[in-house]
Amino acid sequence: MGEKLAGKPVVQSLRENILSRVEKLKENNVTPTLLLIRVGAREDDLSYERSILKNCDLLKIKCNVLELPVTVTMEELTCVFEKANRDQDIHGIMIFRPLPDHIDPEVVRNLIDPEKDIDCMSPINLEKVFEGRSTGFAPCTPKAVIELLNYYEIPLNGANVVVAGRSLVVGKPLAMLLLDENASVTICHSRTKDMPSVTQKADIVVAAIGRAKFMGKEYFSEDSFVVDVGINDDGNGKICGDVHYDEVIENVKALTPPTGGVGLITTTILLQHVVQACEKATNVKKFVTSV
Ligand code: NAP
């Protein structure tokens, strides 16, 4: 029976660090503040919003929610970003995606100030991830995977890692973060021939394909460490991963659970980024006042 790689202890350890940083900021009369922009009221967005608000409460981070109608125009959205970018009391901005069809996501990605782009929407932050520069904000889910692997002391230096999935949100940036940790990375996708023969040989496999319980025990070896990023509906209204948990946990070294794994860590990383953005902005403010 493999070890269950739960997200909760990872979150607890991250929270301790974030809380002490928030306390320090508050001692300097600064409250880290996040602006959430929601267009419409999709259930997925509302559920993520509830989780963010709950975590903000725990971490003493202020969170403002701006709800916009689904009919919002590109011009109105541009004004919202311009105002929020200028507002020195807002340190991080996140807009729930996907956006309605009449809003061009490529234009929106360029509206946000990269210094407040805590969810790595801006191409400037994504470019930094691909250049291996840690001065921006990496996407939260790939960063959550790295935090989990580090927390459980799963060695990355020289490890063979397979990332299944090549999206710009998860697979590709994760591959870059793994390279920064000196792993040798292979990326698989829907055109990969005989994926089990590739994943079986890896020390670590990260599943991010968005296919319910797609990867069974034939994808892994008894020495595999497996991280399941997938969040899917199992067809019976229950959440499941990309990996067939019950079958695979019996046959690998360690595996994340379908709930309470990487997803749990992602929101905490988002808020860690708010604090990071706030610390940076505060230093700039101090520098400007002292000149
Ligand atoms: P996506 O944009 O749909 O990308 C899926 C990727 O998987 C694509 O690269 C696709 O290949 C590949 N793929 C699809 N079917 C495959 C197959 N049968 N064999 C091999 N590769 C296959 O999805 P995403 O946004 O990256 O999300 C992936 C999963 O992670 C989803 O379940 C999503 O809900 C979840 N997710 C979780 C979090 C979290 O915090 N835990 C955050 C974001 C997403 P092609 O490129 O060839 O089409």
Side-chain angles (χ1 to χ4, degrees):
M1 182 86 166
E3 184 192 351
K4 180 168 139 183
L5 301 170
K8 204 170 171 183
V10 187
V11 166
Q12 268 157 358
S13 123
L14 287 169
R15 271 188 194 151
E16 279 169 30
N17 172 274
I18 297 171
L19 267 170
S20 70
R21 289 160 68 182
V22 171
E23 291 299 336
K24 221 171 218 161
L25 285 161
K26 293 206 171 183
E27 279 166 20
N28 285 289
N29 298 317
V30 182
T31 302
T33 302
L34 165 66
L35 174 67
L36 289 179
I37 305 172
R38 174 163 46 76
V39 179
R42 291 174 61 244
E43 189 40 49
D44 282 4
D45 296 346
L46 289 169
S47 154
Y48 192 18
E49 182 180 305
R50 281 192 292 273
S51 156
I52 294 171
L53 287 170
K54 192 174 135 205
N55 278 280
C56 278
D57 213 33
L58 282 169
L59 294 169
K60 302 176 183 164
I61 291 170
K62 190 173 165 196
C63 184
N64 301 327
V65 180
L66 179 62
E67 184 178 350
L68 301 169
V70 279
T71 51
V72 69
T73 64
M74 200 63 232
E75 290 70 31
E76 286 163 340
L77 207 50
T78 305
C79 285
V80 165
F81 272 101
E82 281 173 358
K83 195 166 164 234
N85 286 344
R86 273 197 312 269
D87 189 337
Q88 294 197 0
D89 291 330
I90 292 173
H91 307 104
I93 305 170
M94 192 193 104
I95 184 163
F96 291 102
R97 291 172 287 167
L99 292 160
D101 288 345
H102 67 281
I103 301 290
D104 183 346
E106 284 312 305
V107 176
V108 175
R109 288 177 70 204
N110 286 287
L111 291 177
I112 194 164
D113 176 351
E115 299 290 328
K116 298 188 178 188
D117 175 29
I118 50 155
D119 198 28
C120 195
M121 178 171 78
S122 158
I124 291 174
N125 278 321
L126 203 55
E127 185 185 317
K128 285 183 179 176
V129 173
F130 279 77
E131 286 177 352
R133 286 194 282 150
S134 58
T135 52
F137 296 106
C140 298
T141 301
K143 206 167 157 191
V145 173
I146 301 287
E147 288 289 349
L148 179 126
L149 292 167
N150 285 338
Y151 178 87
Y152 284 102
E153 297 179 352
I154 298 168
L156 286 170
N157 198 338
N160 287 317
V161 185
V162 170
V163 177
R166 57 174 165 181
S167 75
L168 257 192
V169 183
V170 187
K172 281 180 186 164
L174 174 59
M176 296 303 121
L177 296 185
L178 288 163
L179 279 179
D180 290 342
E181 301 277 338
N182 298 318
S184 300
V185 186
T186 305
I187 305 181
C188 293
H189 45 79
S190 65
R191 309 292 173 90
T192 299
K193 282 184 192 153
D194 191 9
M195 194 158 81
S197 72
V198 183
T199 50
Q200 267 170 13
K201 291 190 206 102
D203 302 308
I204 301 167
V205 179
V206 183
I209 60 174
R211 297 271 183 275
K213 299 184 183 179
F214 186 85
M215 298 170 80
K217 63 179 179 193
E218 71 280 10
Y219 280 78
F220 309 103
S221 79
E222 58 186 19
D223 294 322
S224 309
F225 290 100
V226 186
V227 179
D228 189 357
V229 172
I231 303 176
N232 315 295
D233 188 328
D234 71 351
N236 298 309
K238 269 190 161 177
I239 286 177
C240 72
D242 293 340
V243 175
H244 195 304
Y245 184 82
D246 293 340
E247 179 184 299
V248 171
I249 188 75
E250 302 281 344
N251 295 283
V252 293
K253 202 156 199 171
L255 167 64
T256 55
T259 54
V262 176
L264 203 62
I265 308 168
T266 303
T267 312
T268 309
I269 299 288
L270 184 83
L271 301 186
Q272 184 191 60
H273 285 175
V274 177
V275 173
Q276 192 182 321
C278 180
E279 286 167 343
K280 205 170 168 197
T282 312
N283 282 336
V284 171
K285 270 187 215 157
K286 273 185 192 154
F287 175 72
V288 170
T289 358
S290 66
V291 168

